[in-house]
Amino acid sequence: MAAHRSLQGYLSSAEQPEALVAAHIELVHRIAHHLAARLPASVQIDDLIQSGMIGLIEASRQFQSGQGAVFATYAGIRIRGAMIDELRRADWAPRSVHRNSRRVAAAIATIEGREGRAARDSEIAAVLEVSLSDYHAMLQDSAGTHLLGIDDFFGEEGDPDRRLPIGLNTPGDEVESDQFRTALADAIADLPEKERLVLALYYNEELNLREIGAVLEVTESRVSQIRSQAILRLRARLHDWFNGGGQTPAYRIE
């Protein structure tokens, strides 16, 4: 993954608050290693660090101490955001993988809209007209496109409060952002128990796939499949939000 913008260009383009940058280089490395531990081995730590340094330099330029924020907190948001933005730009997955992910989400939406309950693996495979093993292989391939998981439900800039799939320019937009968060929370609460547990262990407890597999007594690849299916199920249930409708799902799993 090549960094989208030249770090050298940022360093030479204008005079930087060098003291802030120098004092927080370790923060960039710490965030990069923490993020890399949750990403495929193909993601290079040096690329994350370079993107993070750009975020740190931008933070040092824009930080205003009079606003009451601590620089390390502000910089951490910008550093992680720069890394995440670069990961999105460096999407490596073939179009066929993205196409299959959309097919899976559509199949889930069809089944759950019809049955009013969580779609089972065998039902999804049947709608897709593939074997169960082929469906699980599709989930495994799709897992690589969900580098960020829950973060993928938000837009740019790295700060979850600023990265909703809608703008925040008017009071009406703020209401919609709250509605989206409520819809996302409801959709997560309605996930099958094992999918909900995997997401909780991965995002809340920050366990890696191997550690979650040990907890659930399943293989690491199976955990990856469960996580991938959970993300696709959430996308299916929040379809209207991702297509500009700004509405809650037409059905709710009971």
Side-chain angles (χ1 to χ4, degrees):
M1 178 184 69
H4 185 68
R5 292 166 292 181
S6 168
L7 175 59
Q8 185 60 38
Y10 272 85
L11 291 172
S12 61
S13 61
E15 182 177 344
Q16 306 298 325
E18 294 182 359
L20 279 176
V21 173
H24 292 85
I25 291 175
E26 179 58 32
L27 178 62
V28 174
H29 286 255
R30 187 162 65 248
I31 293 173
H33 283 280
H34 184 269
L35 191 58
R38 300 158 63 80
L39 296 172
S42 58
V43 177
Q44 299 296 311
I45 189 72
D46 288 345
D47 291 328
L48 291 177
I49 290 172
Q50 180 161 319
S51 298
M53 284 299 299
I54 291 173
L56 174 59
I57 292 168
E58 289 178 338
S60 71
R61 287 176 170 177
Q62 299 176 16
F63 180 68
Q64 297 181 15
S65 59
Q67 293 181 343
V70 176
F71 178 74
T73 301
Y74 175 77
I77 292 172
R78 298 304 299 266
I79 290 166
R80 187 173 185 275
M83 293 177 185
I84 288 174
D85 288 346
E86 187 58 37
L87 286 169
R88 286 197 178 98
R89 282 190 288 265
D91 182 15
W92 55 268
R95 290 183 180 179
S96 60
V97 172
H98 289 289
R99 183 167 59 250
N100 283 338
S101 294
R102 290 192 295 270
R103 290 178 61 210
V104 170
I108 290 172
T110 296
I111 296 165
E112 295 189 346
R114 181 183 67 221
E115 303 294 338
R117 58 165 173 75
R120 303 186 180 100
D121 288 21
S122 58
E123 294 172 323
I124 300 169
V127 169
L128 296 173
E129 298 182 338
V130 299
S131 67
L132 190 58
S133 61
D134 284 345
Y135 169 59
H136 286 162
M138 291 168 67
L139 289 178
Q140 191 67 43
D141 290 341
S142 177
T145 70
H146 304 143
L147 295 179
L148 308 170
I150 296 298
D151 283 336
D152 283 333
F153 289 105
F154 301 93
E156 303 296 327
E157 293 299 321
D159 182 351
D161 289 332
R162 300 179 184 177
R163 293 168 51 231
L164 293 168
I166 50 179
L168 292 178
N169 299 317
T170 69
D173 288 337
E174 293 182 6
V175 170
E176 284 199 350
S177 75
D178 289 340
Q179 291 174 342
F180 173 78
R181 291 179 185 281
T182 299
L184 176 58
D186 288 345
I188 292 173
D190 281 337
L191 288 173
E193 182 179 1
K194 185 169 290 187
E195 292 178 18
R196 192 168 63 247
L197 177 58
V198 166
L199 293 187
L201 292 174
Y202 190 83
Y203 295 106
N204 296 343
E205 303 301 325
E206 297 191 346
L207 300 186
N208 60 37
L209 299 182
R210 178 182 56 79
E211 292 168 334
I212 296 172
V215 172
L216 300 182
E217 298 183 339
V218 298
T219 65
E220 184 175 338
S221 63
R222 181 56 186 150
V223 174
S224 178
Q225 292 167 7
I226 294 170
R227 173 177 170 267
S228 180
Q229 181 165 272
I231 296 297
L232 292 174
R233 197 186 300 275
L234 290 175
R235 286 195 172 277
R237 294 180 180 180
L238 297 169
H239 175 271
D240 287 342
W241 285 100
F242 293 107
N243 287 273
Q247 302 173 4
T248 54
Y251 58 90
R252 179 178 174 84
I253 306 301
E254 300 297 340

